[in-house]
C-alpha cells in the first residue's frame, strides 16, 4: 500500500475538523415546499418587524388627542352593554388604539395571502384566509365565512374530522335549530 491520497477539501462536507461547528446540513425539501417555507419565514419576519414598530409607536406617543377611529362611536359601542354604566376618559382611547392595531395586523396577514396568490388587490377571501390561518382570530371564523366554491373540499374534510371526533352536525340542507349545536358536545 502506498501513501494516502489527499482529496480536495470541497469534495466532502467538513467532518470533525475546525469547520464542523459552522457546518449545518440542509435537509432536502421539494421546491414548492421550500418556497412555502421561505414565504412563511418572510411573513413571520415581517410580522415581528410590524409589532416592533407598533411597540416603538406606542412608546413614542405623546399626543392622545388625535385618533384614526372616532372615540364617540367607540364609546357608543361600549355603552351598548347594559352592564356598563360609566366609562373613564382613557378607555375609549385605549380601545381606539387596540382596534387600529387589530385592523392593521389583520390587513397585514390578508395582504400576505394576496401576495401569495400574486395579486395586488386585497379581497374578502384574503381576510378570510388570514382569519383561518391565525389561531388568535378563531373567534371571527363564523363572522367572516370563506367562499363556498373554493372551500368545499376543506369543509368536507372538516366535517369528516368533526364526525370522527364525535361532534354532532345537522344533516345537509337542514338548518340547525340551535346555533350552539355545532359546538356543544353532550357528556356521555
Amino acid at each position: 500500500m502506498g501513501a494516502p491520497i489527499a482529496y480536495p477539501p470541497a469534495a466532502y462536507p467538513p467532518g470533525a475538523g475546525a469547520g464542523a461547528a459552522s457546518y449545518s446540513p440542509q435537509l432536502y425539501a421539494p421546491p414548492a415546499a421550500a418556497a412555502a417555507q421561505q414565504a412563511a419565514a418572510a411573513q413571520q419576519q415581517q410580522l415581528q418587524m410590524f409589532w416592533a414598530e407598533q411597540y416603538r409607536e406606542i412608546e413614542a406617543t405623546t399626543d392622545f388627542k388625535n385618533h384614526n377611529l372616532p372615540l364617540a362611536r367607540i364609546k357608543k359601542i361600549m355603552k351598548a352593554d347594559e352592564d356598563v354604566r360609566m366609562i373613564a376618559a382613557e378607555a375609549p382611547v385605549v380601545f381606539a388604539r387596540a382596534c387600529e392595531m387589530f385592523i392593521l395586523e389583520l390587513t397585514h396577514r390578508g395582504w400576505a395571502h394576496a401576495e401569495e396568490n400574486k395579486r395586488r388587490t386585497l379581497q374578502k377571501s384574503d381576510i378570510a384566509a388570514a382569519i383561518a390561518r391565525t389561531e388568535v382570530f378563531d373567534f371571527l371564523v363564523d363572522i367572516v365565512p370563506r367562499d363556498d366554491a373554493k372551500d368545499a373540499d376543506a369543509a368536507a374534510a372538516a366535517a369528516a374530522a368533526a364526525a370522527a371526533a364525535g361532534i354532532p352536525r345537522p344533516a345537509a340542507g337542514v338548518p340547525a335549530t340551535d346555533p350552539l349545536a355545532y359546538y356543544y358536545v353532550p357528556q356521555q
Side-chain angles (χ1 to χ4, degrees):
M1 298 209 108
I5 300 173
Y7 289 98
Y12 297 101
S22 64
Y23 175 70
S24 59
Q26 298 294 323
L27 299 175
Y28 172 74
Q37 286 176 344
Q38 288 176 344
Q43 182 182 5
Q44 186 65 27
Q45 184 179 15
Q46 288 174 344
L47 283 171
Q48 288 175 348
M49 290 184 340
F50 166 78
W51 281 110
E53 179 62 28
Q54 292 299 310
Y55 186 75
R56 278 191 291 277
E57 279 185 30
I58 290 170
E59 291 288 319
T61 300
T62 57
D63 179 23
F64 295 100
K65 300 285 184 195
N66 298 322
H67 308 284
N68 292 333
L69 298 174
L71 295 182
R73 180 70 179 141
I74 292 171
K75 193 170 183 179
K76 186 176 180 180
I77 293 170
M78 292 171 72
K79 284 191 170 186
D81 184 356
E82 58 191 37
D83 294 336
V84 175
R85 290 189 179 91
M86 299 291 288
I87 298 173
E90 301 88 14
V93 174
V94 173
F95 267 98
R97 183 65 178 140
C99 290
E100 183 180 345
M101 292 170 64
F102 171 76
I103 293 167
L104 284 170
E105 181 175 1
L106 194 53
T107 302
H108 188 81
R109 290 178 182 271
W111 181 252
H113 185 265
E115 285 183 331
E116 286 175 14
N117 291 319
K118 298 176 178 39
R119 284 186 281 106
R120 303 287 297 170
T121 304
L122 190 63
Q123 299 176 352
K124 177 184 170 186
S125 61
D126 299 322
I127 301 300
I131 290 168
R133 289 179 178 181
T134 309
E135 190 174 330
V136 174
F137 297 142
D138 281 350
F139 70 98
L140 295 172
V141 170
D142 295 332
I143 298 170
V144 183
R146 299 191 60 169
D147 292 338
D148 293 335
K150 292 182 180 178
D151 293 331
D153 294 335
I167 299 172
R169 299 250 183 210
V174 177
T177 55
D178 181 10
L180 295 178
Y182 286 92
Y183 307 106
Y184 176 71
V185 179
Q187 292 182 340
Q188 296 178 5

